[in-house]
Amino acid sequence: MILKLYAKTLVTLSLFMSFPIQVYTKNKAETPHYLSRVSDAFSKISADTLDKSATTFSSDHHPSVHGKLLDEEGTNMSSDHRPASKVTLEEETDVSKPLDPPVRPEHGNIVPRIDINIDGGAIVADKKNFLKAQIKIDGAGFYSNLTDSVWIRGRGNSSWNGANPYDKNPYRLKFRKAVAPFELRKGKNWILLSNKVKHSLMANAIGMKLARLVKTKAANHIIPVELFINGQYRGNYNFTEKVGLSNNSVKLENESRAALLELDSYYDETYKFYSSTYNLPVNIKDYHFKKDEIPVMLNHIQSDFNQLCFALKNEGKISHLVDVEQLARYLMVNELLGNYEIMHPKSVFLYKEDFTSTNSKFIFGPIWDLDWAFGYEQNRDYGTANPEIDFWKAPANFKNQQFIYDLRFKDKAVEQAYYKVWSDFMANHLQELLNYCDDYYQYVELSFLRNADKWNDGQDYKTVAHNIKRWLEKRAKYIYSHLSTTTLSQNEVTITDISKGDKDMVVNDFVDVYTLQGVRIKSHIPANEVYKSLMPGIYIIGNRKVVVPGL
């Protein structure tokens, strides 16, 4: 198998788990060679019933036979010919993450190339009408190639420019059956992010890397690609999963009683409500209820979310209603990145697997929409604003601010989980994230330069990468140094010296604490109180190695 041969011959880096690298020369011909083709059945629903499981069309019963129909978001499906038959030249894979990419080769890299040729040379002019197209993905020698039929339309809110279809707009892709591009987990629905804001080409990639490092739920992969539509170069894009209840996003054992909610001020879904406490705009983003179950399930959803808000504001106890560990991870990512959009609110996702069960808890995530993070909210640039600011004292009066603040501080269980997430990150993942900033830039550099020729953004990303890296490092140390050290009692952890030296050193001294990677995470704290501020692990304290064991 081709993938196995490459996996055996290429040296890999674990920190690149969020994107692929291919060996390529600058003089290589533009036209890629496509080795495989995958094409299967297509699923959709009726606009009248909004029943997401109502109608399924197999490969010989295509929507075009019935004229224009609507997909699950009320968009038209347009096509004048039948889908291509399935041809598979390589063994299909279904893995949960991309293969490890190789070390950057001496003769240069290039990101994957995606060609989308729309029927009749049509252009994507709106966010409603899906257009039939052929898609070819060139893996450039590391990832498997793919040729298939696909539907494409516009997407996004502020990023979509409806007045100019030739702008660097984002797109939604829908395959007729689940496929696994770039060896990601199989799915039908995918997104092409345009990152059109100046200096934002790295923002989502770095942010999602952080989300994956701290193990937030259903964190997206970001695959940098060169996009061509109808033969015309469109720029550097990010290929990623579409957030939803699906195999390649929020994967659940049973989706029949589940729903994905989105707190978003756009308030533009079919089913939506404002919460009775905090007055939050709640959109029901995705569900798989049967038609006759929709009214009952909508009542369950509204009741459960109102219960959460009431308990948070009036009781300060939510651990019986929310997965506290995941909430801590979700908040940690957004605080470190300075993503104030969760306070607007915009793109705040959470879900429950079973809204009919009292044992099912809300889970916050997936993380989404990070192009206003890294200080952009403050000065409209990335990595150049002051990193040492208190995220919880927002610079503006955002509608969702109090709700997010209360999620962070009201319940002591969240406070404890939050400190543990941060301690683990500082000891084990910060340096990996910082290295990723440099590595991502080096990998995508040539694509950035080409994007600059088209869109005047991409020439100075060495500086952008440096700014973001230093901003993240300073911000992480600032936040961690200001976290409360009283959430863990002395009964939870004890310190054992594992090096030779004076055992009495910890009695009266003030010490700095470093990770084994040399990152200082605590400064000038009483040595006999170190136990209050460290998660289990191995640290450098007072020039000695010290282990903080778990319970």
Side-chain angles (χ1 to χ4, degrees), residues 298-499:
L298 294 180
N299 287 334
H300 278 302
I301 293 170
Q302 186 166 359
S303 175
D304 286 5
F305 189 80
N306 282 333
Q307 179 188 10
L308 167 62
C309 292
F310 181 88
L312 177 63
K313 185 173 184 177
N314 297 287
E315 301 167 6
K317 301 291 184 182
I318 58 172
S319 58
H320 61 299
L321 301 173
V322 173
D323 184 324
V324 168
E325 298 294 331
Q326 281 299 321
L327 174 59
R329 294 183 176 101
Y330 180 87
L331 294 175
M332 179 270 176
V333 170
N334 283 288
E335 180 179 7
L336 176 54
L337 298 180
N339 182 31
Y340 287 100
E341 288 214 331
I342 66 171
M343 296 185 183
H344 288 192
K346 286 189 175 70
S347 303
V348 178
F349 289 104
L350 67 159
Y351 64 93
K352 280 180 71 171
E353 185 165 0
D354 189 349
F355 274 93
T356 66
S357 171
T358 57
N359 296 322
S360 185
K361 295 184 178 183
F362 280 103
I363 297 176
F364 277 77
I367 301 283
W368 184 249
D369 199 3
L370 301 173
D371 56 358
W372 273 55
F374 303 96
Y376 188 85
E377 187 92 41
Q378 287 94 306
N379 69 350
R380 298 303 187 265
D381 197 13
Y382 297 86
T384 59
N386 178 16
E388 297 182 348
I389 61 172
D390 188 344
F391 179 73
W392 308 106
K393 296 177 182 178
N397 185 24
F398 299 126
K399 184 178 181 64
N400 201 34
Q401 183 175 344
Q402 190 62 49
F403 175 67
I404 297 296
Y405 183 91
D406 289 350
L407 284 174
R408 167 66 179 87
F409 292 104
K410 282 247 180 176
D411 194 327
K412 185 178 179 181
V414 177
E415 179 81 2
Q416 292 173 337
Y418 198 71
Y419 191 84
K420 291 179 180 179
V421 171
W422 264 102
S423 295
D424 176 70
F425 171 75
M426 294 298 290
N428 302 307
H429 303 300
L430 173 58
Q431 193 58 50
E432 183 174 354
L433 180 66
L434 300 179
N435 292 342
Y436 184 86
C437 297
D438 292 330
D439 293 328
Y440 188 87
Y441 160 71
Q442 291 173 9
Y443 166 51
V444 195
E445 178 184 6
L446 298 179
S447 181
F448 285 167
L449 292 174
R450 189 170 190 181
N451 189 84
D453 292 338
K454 176 73 175 178
W455 301 110
N456 195 31
D457 182 28
Q459 291 180 331
D460 53 353
Y461 270 78
K462 184 176 182 179
T463 299
V464 174
H466 174 79
N467 289 342
I468 291 177
K469 176 182 177 180
R470 303 309 298 173
W471 187 88
L472 285 171
E473 182 176 20
K474 290 181 180 179
R475 181 156 180 76
K477 292 177 180 179
Y478 168 80
I479 294 171
Y480 191 57
S481 67
H482 285 76
L483 290 180
S484 171
T485 61
T486 62
T487 57
L488 299 178
S489 68
Q490 188 168 2
N491 293 329
E492 291 184 83
V493 295
T494 58
I495 293 180
T496 302
D497 182 12
I498 60 171
S499 65

Side-chain angles (χ1 to χ4, degrees), residues 205-263:
I206 296 172
M208 292 304 177
K209 176 64 176 180
L210 171 61
R212 292 179 60 77
L213 284 174
V214 300
K215 300 180 180 179
T216 62
K217 282 291 185 180
N220 282 53
H221 298 83
I222 296 294
I223 314 294
V225 300
E226 299 263 76
L227 179 64
F228 291 77
I229 296 181
N230 295 333
Q232 295 184 347
Y233 174 69
R234 304 298 300 151
N236 174 273
Y237 275 68
N238 288 163
F239 183 92
T240 190
E241 300 92 341
K242 178 182 181 294
V243 172
L245 301 179
S246 59
N247 183 67
N248 65 333
S249 185
V250 178
K251 184 178 181 180
L252 304 174
E253 291 185 6
N254 186 350
E255 298 175 347
S256 63
R257 296 291 182 270
L260 176 70
L261 311 183
E262 181 184 19
L263 309 184

Side-chain angles (χ1 to χ4, degrees), residues 21-22 93 145 168 180 185 276 287 370 385-386 403 414 442:
I21 292 180
Q22 294 79 32
T93 59
N145 304 323
K168 197 186 184 198
R185 205 158 55 198
S276 56
Y287 59 90
L370 301 173
N386 178 16
F403 175 67
V414 177
Q442 291 173 9

Side-chain angles (χ1 to χ4, degrees), residues 470-540:
R470 303 309 298 173
W471 187 88
L472 285 171
E473 182 176 20
K474 290 181 180 179
R475 181 156 180 76
K477 292 177 180 179
Y478 168 80
I479 294 171
Y480 191 57
S481 67
H482 285 76
L483 290 180
S484 171
T485 61
T486 62
T487 57
L488 299 178
S489 68
Q490 188 168 2
N491 293 329
E492 291 184 83
V493 295
T494 58
I495 293 180
T496 302
D497 182 12
I498 60 171
S499 65
K500 296 180 180 180
D502 182 6
K503 302 295 193 225
D504 296 328
M505 182 277 299
V506 296
V507 175
N508 299 314
D509 292 346
F510 287 86
V511 296
D512 294 342
V513 181
Y514 295 83
T515 67
L516 292 181
Q517 293 75 33
V519 178
R520 185 169 60 186
I521 58 177
K522 290 290 181 180
S523 299
H524 199 65
I525 60 174
N528 60 351
E529 295 183 7
V530 169
Y531 67 86
K532 295 181 180 180
S533 61
L534 295 176
M535 280 289 294
I538 302 176
Y539 304 89
I540 304 297

Side-chain angles (χ1 to χ4, degrees), residues 19-269:
F19 63 89
I21 292 180
Q22 294 79 32
V23 179
Y24 203 89
T25 63
K26 293 184 179 180
N27 296 324
K28 185 174 179 179
E30 288 275 322
T31 305
H33 299 285
Y34 299 98
L35 303 179
S36 68
R37 185 176 192 136
V38 181
S39 175
D40 291 294
F42 182 88
S43 298
K44 59 182 300 308
I45 69 163
S46 163
D48 297 328
T49 64
L50 288 173
D51 175 12
K52 291 177 180 278
S53 60
T55 310
T56 300
F57 298 92
S58 63
S59 58
D60 60 351
H61 189 67
H62 191 263
S64 62
V65 177
H66 303 272
K68 289 185 177 180
L69 297 171
L70 300 179
D71 86 331
E72 67 272 24
E73 296 181 2
T75 55
N76 293 320
M77 315 295 293
S78 302
S79 175
D80 59 1
H81 71 273
R82 304 175 66 82
S85 59
K86 179 178 179 179
V87 179
T88 303
L89 300 182
E90 296 179 3
E91 180 180 344
E92 293 184 28
T93 59
D94 187 12
V95 295
S96 61
K97 57 189 177 184
L99 298 175
D100 293 354
V103 175
R104 188 180 189 191
E106 60 184 15
H107 53 284
N109 296 326
I110 195 166
V111 300
R113 170 170 169 161
I114 295 181
D115 282 82
I116 298 175
N117 294 304
I118 304 173
D119 286 5
I123 60 173
V124 181
D126 58 56
K127 300 188 294 183
K128 182 177 182 181
N129 295 289
F130 267 108
L131 302 177
K132 187 70 168 57
Q134 292 291 314
I135 185 171
K136 297 180 179 181
I137 298 178
D138 176 23
F142 183 70
Y143 282 83
S144 57
N145 304 323
L146 183 145
T147 301
D148 203 349
S149 55
V150 72
W151 301 90
I152 182 172
R153 67 166 172 83
R155 65 163 304 279
N157 291 308
S158 60
S159 59
W160 173 259
N161 182 2
N164 181 10
Y166 294 99
D167 196 1
K168 197 186 184 198
N169 286 325
Y171 302 104
R172 158 96 180 272
L173 302 177
K174 187 178 183 73
F175 290 85
R176 295 180 299 115
K177 188 178 180 180
V179 295
F182 310 106
E183 284 64 62
L184 297 170
R185 205 158 55 198
K186 285 186 176 181
K188 292 181 181 179
N189 295 289
W190 304 88
I191 297 296
L192 284 166
L193 296 175
S194 59
N195 300 318
K196 68 167 64 176
V197 176
K198 189 173 182 63
H199 290 168
S200 69
L201 293 175
M202 299 179 64
N204 280 293
I206 296 172
M208 292 304 177
K209 176 64 176 180
L210 171 61
R212 292 179 60 77
L213 284 174
V214 300
K215 300 180 180 179
T216 62
K217 282 291 185 180
N220 282 53
H221 298 83
I222 296 294
I223 314 294
V225 300
E226 299 263 76
L227 179 64
F228 291 77
I229 296 181
N230 295 333
Q232 295 184 347
Y233 174 69
R234 304 298 300 151
N236 174 273
Y237 275 68
N238 288 163
F239 183 92
T240 190
E241 300 92 341
K242 178 182 181 294
V243 172
L245 301 179
S246 59
N247 183 67
N248 65 333
S249 185
V250 178
K251 184 178 181 180
L252 304 174
E253 291 185 6
N254 186 350
E255 298 175 347
S256 63
R257 296 291 182 270
L260 176 70
L261 311 183
E262 181 184 19
L263 309 184
D264 198 301
S265 56
Y266 282 108
Y267 202 58
D268 54 1
E269 295 296 327

